[in-house]
Amino acid sequence: MSGFEGSYGGHAARISPQAVMECKICWSVYDPAIGDATRQIDPGTPFTELPGDWSCPTCSADPHQFMVLRDPGAFEHLEALRIRAATERLVTDFTEVWHGKMRDVPLVNKALRVEAVGFRMHEDMMLGVLISPWFMNLILLPDAQDWSSLVAGEKEVVDFPSGAYEFIHNSREMTGGYKACSLFSPMAQFTRQQDAVDVALAVMQALFDPAHLAETDRKADIRAAREAALAPKPDEAEEAEPTIPSRRAVITAGLAGQP
């Protein structure tokens, strides 16, 4: 049945685990914080995880007859659904690259697979780490914004509590526009997927730690390097430009090395 506006209607994705439901026939309430003592349903059991034979304890109506009375977790739940949908597209895109172009490339680490780790909202964007057999990158994805006009290869400095980091614009067929900051490439130092996941989670934590700010806030260095690269070259032999410390080396405690 389709239900009516605000009803459960069998669409579990519409409600969070905290949703308090009300029978639209007899007005009995199911609160997951309380459970249902008449059916030995423990407190903490979401409405969507009730047994298949559960029915209203008062009028025996089935769950499709319940509507949302209130849902304290609705905002976070819908946000999580958007993040999951976006990261699934991202993983699908790069899994296709892995199977189509990269599998036989010598530098890949076949102990690893494509995985999105630790994605969360950052301001009005989605931020997390993408692991693949040949790289680990910080990734920014749009939420409601249109990034279809991003120009591949353009660079942008993005501020975080730990400092300023350089992201490169790009686009994939399913993902659309996205921004990437390189952490590791290649990935030979990782022997297991879990090791890469642990480092990705540590990166996400360090990224928001202001204690790293003095070491990583290098916007002036980035700007100076770009200006030097664009300056007219003298006729005489040029001196080599100093290497700018990599942001990825700082937030991964030096594990990534220099680019």
Side-chain angles (χ1 to χ4, degrees):
M1 62 183 298
S2 60
F4 58 91
E5 185 66 28
S7 70
Y8 167 56
H11 302 290
R14 296 181 180 177
I15 63 175
S16 83
Q18 301 175 48
V20 177
M21 310 296 291
E22 183 177 59
C23 178
K24 66 181 184 182
I25 297 175
C26 70
W27 314 115
S28 291
V29 172
Y30 178 81
D31 186 340
I34 299 173
D36 180 3
T38 65
R39 292 289 306 274
Q40 298 182 330
I41 303 298
D42 293 333
T45 304
F47 186 79
T48 55
E49 295 181 13
L50 290 170
D53 61 351
W54 184 89
S55 60
C56 176
T58 303
C59 70
S60 299
D62 67 37
H64 288 64
Q65 299 295 329
F66 277 69
M67 60 184 178
V68 177
L69 181 62
R70 60 183 180 276
D71 190 352
F75 178 83
E76 292 80 4
H77 179 67
L78 294 175
E79 182 178 273
L81 290 178
R82 295 199 307 275
I83 291 174
R84 185 171 67 187
T87 55
E88 284 177 353
R89 292 192 295 269
L90 182 70
V91 168
T92 298
D93 260 334
F94 281 91
T95 300
E96 289 182 358
V97 174
W98 166 229
H99 291 304
K101 297 180 179 178
M102 296 300 297
R103 184 170 288 275
D104 296 324
V105 175
L107 62 83
V108 301
N109 183 344
K110 293 187 177 181
L112 304 179
R113 66 180 183 276
V114 178
E115 183 175 356
V117 177
F119 272 80
R120 52 172 284 185
M121 294 302 298
H122 173 64
E123 297 177 350
D124 57 352
M125 301 170 287
M126 303 176 192
L127 169 73
V129 176
L130 182 65
I131 297 170
S132 83
W134 66 99
F135 70 80
M136 183 189 297
N137 287 350
L138 275 172
I139 299 289
L140 281 169
L141 298 172
D143 187 13
Q145 312 94 326
D146 180 7
W147 284 5
S148 60
S149 62
L150 290 183
V151 177
E154 284 194 353
K155 297 178 180 180
E156 174 185 353
V157 176
V158 181
D159 291 321
F160 293 94
S162 61
Y165 302 88
E166 190 171 74
F167 283 72
I168 298 176
H169 297 180
N170 215 326
S171 179
R172 298 290 316 169
E173 182 178 356
M174 294 188 65
T175 303
Y178 69 94
K179 303 172 184 180
C181 175
S182 178
L183 298 173
F184 296 89
S185 183
M187 298 285 283
Q189 59 267 63
F190 298 101
T191 58
R192 302 181 308 154
Q193 182 76 13
Q194 188 58 50
D195 294 335
V197 170
D198 290 344
V199 169
L201 293 173
V203 166
M204 287 296 294
Q205 182 175 2
L207 195 63
F208 291 91
D209 185 353
H212 297 296
L213 182 60
E215 298 178 68
T216 62
D217 192 6
R218 300 189 57 85
K219 285 187 286 187
D221 290 339
I222 294 171
R223 183 169 58 253
R226 289 179 180 166
E227 291 173 353
L230 295 173
K233 303 299 181 184
D235 294 333
E236 300 174 1
E238 302 169 5
E239 295 182 1
E241 292 183 5
T243 300
I244 298 174
S246 167
R247 246 66 57 213
R248 61 182 176 145
V250 176
I251 61 176
T252 59
L255 291 175
Q258 296 297 321

